[in-house]
Amino acid sequence: AKISTLNVTNWTMPSSATDYFRLFRNIDDLTSIDVSTWNSFKPSSCWEMFMNSEALTTINISGIDTSATTIFRSMFHGCTALTEIEGLDELDSTAATGVNGVYRMFNGCDNLSFANYNLSNDFGTNLSNCTSMDSMFQDVGKTTPTVPPNIANFDTSAVTSFVNMFHEAKFTTTLDLSILDMSAATTLYRFMRNQDGITSIDASSWGFTNALTTFQDFCQNAEITDIEFGSGSDFSGVTTFQNCFL
């Protein structure tokens, strides 16, 4: 759509509406949108809600109730001009689940800053039912580097795939990855390939098991200068280490 102005602040959203799949996807010329007045907005799915609306620079989602949202997949994916998401710190991930929980949530947000609005500690705590972190932060800050996302309390105990999680992301400071639980991980393909900002990794408590099969391109061309793996890290199931530390 070629919409350049869209005022939805006076909309009254019916409580019966729960699926907002692709609601604002591919709106080419819209630069801002504010859904903070949608008091009855309680989506079960935010799948691709703003995806590929490449002119959006600001989104206000303050006050929306995502406590029943099971899918945040690609919610902001491809919003390349997006600089700020007001209310991001209010997102509730209690119901997020499965492979689509947070898959590619911020993928392609080249200019997004987490400086003023970041994920809350509770958002990470409630991710225990998500099985994929694939491309969650891929390309974030690629054009304009940002402070890192808040992953301090991320519960990744059920996550099997970390493919491209931080691939080509650019941060202004390092990010503590020691919190991550890799005990269910089967693949870390391109986990942080071409990443800037993270200079050291403490992986001593990641808890790799023989379920891990792919370590290819793990941190290829990244700024990493120091990595510590714990003595209990089990790489016995890995079938490819190709370009792992290239």
Side-chain angles (χ1 to χ4, degrees):
K2 297 290 185 180
I3 300 171
S4 58
T5 303
L6 180 62
N7 185 352
V8 298
T9 56
N10 294 320
W11 287 18
T12 300
M13 307 308 291
S15 57
S16 58
T18 59
D19 191 345
Y20 292 85
F21 178 57
R22 295 180 174 175
L23 179 61
F24 301 110
R25 179 176 171 172
N26 289 76
I27 301 180
D28 295 340
D29 299 322
L30 190 66
T31 58
S32 65
I33 195 159
D34 183 351
V35 298
S36 62
T37 59
W38 293 5
N39 296 328
S40 57
F41 182 54
K42 191 173 183 178
S44 62
S45 173
C46 289
W47 192 332
E48 299 179 6
M49 187 172 176
F50 302 97
M51 183 177 175
N52 290 340
S53 290
E54 296 181 349
L56 277 176
T57 58
T58 59
I59 298 173
N60 188 345
I61 55 173
S62 300
I64 69 171
D65 184 352
T66 59
S67 60
T69 303
T70 60
I71 298 173
F72 291 94
R73 174 174 176 156
S74 296
M75 186 174 180
F76 307 104
H77 184 182
C79 292
T80 54
L82 187 61
T83 60
E84 190 170 82
I85 306 171
E86 186 172 350
L88 180 63
D89 53 328
E90 300 175 29
L91 285 184
D92 186 337
S93 63
T94 302
T97 187
V99 69
N100 292 318
V102 292
Y103 177 81
R104 292 187 172 181
M105 187 173 178
F106 302 99
N107 186 188
C109 292
D110 296 12
N111 291 284
L112 179 62
S113 172
F114 291 111
N116 295 323
Y117 301 98
N118 209 328
L119 297 168
S120 70
N121 287 337
D122 287 341
F123 185 88
T125 303
N126 294 323
L127 297 178
S128 59
N129 292 316
C130 292
T131 58
S132 173
M133 294 281 167
D134 287 3
S135 300
M136 185 175 182
F137 301 107
Q138 181 176 346
D139 295 330
V140 168
K142 184 177 180 179
T143 301
T144 307
T146 177
V147 297
N150 178 17
I151 65 166
N153 287 355
F154 265 37
D155 185 343
T156 60
S157 57
V159 176
T160 60
S161 182
F162 291 87
V163 172
N164 292 330
M165 185 173 180
F166 297 105
H167 177 48
E168 302 227 5
K170 312 296 181 186
F171 302 140
T172 54
T173 59
T174 194
L175 178 62
D176 182 6
L177 300 176
S178 62
I179 186 66
L180 297 179
D181 182 341
M182 301 281 195
S183 58
T186 61
T187 177
L188 274 80
Y189 178 61
R190 292 184 174 178
F191 175 67
M192 53 192 311
R193 183 174 182 262
N194 293 346
Q195 194 280 331
D196 290 346
I198 301 175
T199 56
S200 64
I201 300 176
D202 179 1
S204 59
S205 59
W206 281 5
F208 291 133
T209 70
N210 60 6
L212 183 67
T213 61
T214 304
F215 213 58
Q216 183 176 347
D217 298 338
F218 171 71
C219 61
Q220 181 183 6
N221 295 330
E223 284 192 335
I224 306 299
T225 58
D226 177 64
I227 303 177
E228 179 182 351
F229 292 106
S231 58
S233 297
D234 187 347
F235 293 99
S236 62
V238 176
T239 58
T240 176
F241 287 94
Q242 183 177 347
N243 298 327
C244 185
F245 303 111
L246 183 64

